[in-house]
Structure formats: C-alpha cells, structure tokens
Amino acid sequence: DGGITQSPKYLFRKEGQNVTLSCEQNLNHDAMYWYRQDPGQGLRLIYYSQIVNDFQKGDIAEGYSVSREKKESFPLTVTSAQKNPTAFYLCASSMSGRTNTGELFFGEGSRLTVL
Amino acid sequence: AQRVTQPEKLLSVFKGAPVELKCNYSYSGSPELFWYVQYSRQRLQLLLRHISRESIKGFTADLNKGETSFHLKKPFAQEEDSAMYYCALTHIFGNEKLTFGTGTRLTIIP
C-alpha cells in the first residue's frame, strides 16, 4: 500500500523533553515536508527537504530539527526549545524538479500533547 | 513574501444552494494555486489545481489575477461536501514550498 506513514498517531510528552515524530514514504518522492496544523491558523510549514541530505527552514522552524539521511524518511524532532509544541503535525511528500505538479501527498498526522 | 487569505473560518450552506469559498493571495511571482480538502477522518488531499482547468466533484475555481483571487465554487451543494477546505499557493514552476491559507470549514445543512 503506497503512501505516507506517520507515527506515532498520538504522543504525550512532559515539558523539557525532546520527541521525534516519524515520517516514511514509499512513493519515491524527492521532496518531503513538515507542517503544523493549529485551529484557526491553517497549515504552517516547519521544514522541507527537496533532496536527500538537504533541507530548508520553513516559516516556523524555531524549536524544531529534522534530518534527511534517506529518501524515504524525514523525521521531525520537537525540542524542548519549542515554546508551544502541543499541535497536530502533518508530513507530506511530492515529486520535485520537472515532474513537480505542486501536489502534496499527506500522512494521517501525529497529535502531540505536552503535559 | 507569499500569503494566502481565506476570510471565512466557517461557512454553512443549505443542500442544493450554491457554494463559494473565498481565497485571496499576494505573491510577487507567477502563482500556481490549489484547493485542498480534508473530509472527516480522512487525509488532507488535493481537490483541484488552477493549471489543470478541471472540475472535480462539481467544484471549479477561476484564477483572477486582477483581483488576486481563486475562489472555489459549486452550483449545488451536496451533504458530502462538508469538509475543511484550504487554498494554497506556490510558484508556477513548482520547486518551491506550498503556502496554505487558514482554511474554511464548510457545513452543508440538509
């Protein structure tokens, strides 16, 4: 079954702890993205990567970190420096370069709650 | 900087009535615009894109560069249209990040 898999679906964390959200895709897409979805604020881009071993900050990168060691994987770490980490996180992927149609394929999301 | 504005957070429409979800954008380059939809308990997915000039599920959207708008329209609303709708923008040649609006929750009243 092709697509994007995010895990875990729900995650609870104590303040001061780092947490890593997993995102894996088997669509052979070059580009991957992390968005944060908050009520009334839509989707805001955290980080994106257009190719392995390269990534760029999005609009709200502070307090987050990513890595892109494999084409299939783009994990997001929410660090203790993120001031308001409780949110719904969406991972997405797309083709890039000349084949890029602009369509993003999304995962089911991970809901992080900081206690 | 690119920006997408969806002025309505909530929109309720009676079944069979016309639907229009508003989207305005600001962008200095050549824009490509999209509408994404998230039905209850489903993933966010592409509904339609301007460049395809297509009608999906009865929805259409026209790019008005003079008014910098990309409103989503459907002549007769159906109950299954109830969902969260996001307008999004990127550069026409792609390879750039997609910027989303804040979304409009559409509810179709039976």
Side-chain angles (χ1 to χ4, degrees):
Chain A
D1 186 25
I4 299 184
T5 303
Q6 288 186 241
S7 63
K9 210 168 183 177
Y10 300 95
L11 186 61
F12 296 88
R13 177 196 104 176
K14 291 183 180 179
E15 276 194 36
Q17 289 180 335
N18 291 356
V19 63
T20 297
L21 307 180
S22 169
C23 179
E24 303 277 329
Q25 55 100 358
N26 61 5
L27 300 170
N28 199 33
H29 285 165
D30 288 314
M32 296 186 76
Y33 311 80
W34 275 105
Y35 285 89
R36 172 178 169 144
Q37 189 177 30
D38 295 286
Q41 297 197 59
L43 276 73
R44 292 181 290 166
L45 184 64
I46 305 172
Y47 269 98
Y48 64 108
S49 166
Q50 296 193 328
I51 197 167
V52 174
N53 291 323
D54 188 41
F55 48 83
Q56 288 79 39
K57 292 182 179 180
D59 301 315
I60 55 165
E62 186 176 348
Y64 299 98
S65 66
V66 293
S67 63
R68 187 83 188 279
E69 296 176 3
K70 297 188 299 181
K71 187 175 184 177
E72 302 80 20
S73 179
F74 191 42
L76 173 74
T77 296
V78 185
T79 75
S80 56
Q82 167 50 231
K83 293 178 183 177
N84 188 18
T86 294
F88 190 64
Y89 292 88
L90 281 171
C91 180
S93 70
S94 72
M95 295 183 284
S96 65
R98 288 185 179 181
T99 56
N100 184 12
T101 62
E103 179 176 4
L104 265 58
F105 293 81
F106 284 88
E108 292 184 307
S110 294
R111 184 167 297 282
L112 171 63
T113 302
V114 175
L115 304 171
Chain B
Q2 54 199 60
R3 186 178 180 90
V4 178
T5 302
Q6 293 180 251
E8 304 139 328
K9 284 189 178 179
L10 303 170
L11 182 64
S12 294
V13 172
F14 283 101
K15 179 181 172 182
V19 176
E20 183 178 50
L21 287 83
K22 292 185 167 49
C23 172
N24 289 89
Y25 67 91
S26 63
Y27 186 57
S28 56
S30 299
E32 178 53 31
L33 286 125
F34 305 80
W35 277 98
Y36 278 78
V37 62
Q38 190 168 28
Y39 300 104
S40 179
R41 297 192 184 89
Q42 293 188 30
R43 302 179 186 217
L44 189 61
Q45 59 187 287
L46 178 68
L47 177 63
L48 58 80
R49 72 194 89 185
H50 164 249
I51 200 168
S52 300
R53 302 282 199 275
E54 57 200 349
S55 172
I56 303 294
K57 298 185 179 184
F59 284 98
T60 58
D62 292 319
L63 178 60
N64 186 324
K65 291 188 177 180
E67 295 182 358
T68 60
S69 69
F70 189 58
H71 303 328
L72 184 68
K73 298 178 184 179
K74 184 170 182 176
F76 307 103
Q78 298 172 292
E79 287 185 62
E80 54 264 34
D81 296 329
S82 293
M84 191 74 178
Y85 290 81
Y86 292 95
C87 183
L89 172 152
T90 189
H91 188 275
I92 194 167
F93 294 121
N95 262 359
E96 287 191 14
K97 60 183 183 179
L98 200 61
T99 297
F100 285 84
T102 52
T104 298
R105 181 165 296 282
L106 175 65
T107 301
I108 305 303
I109 304 166

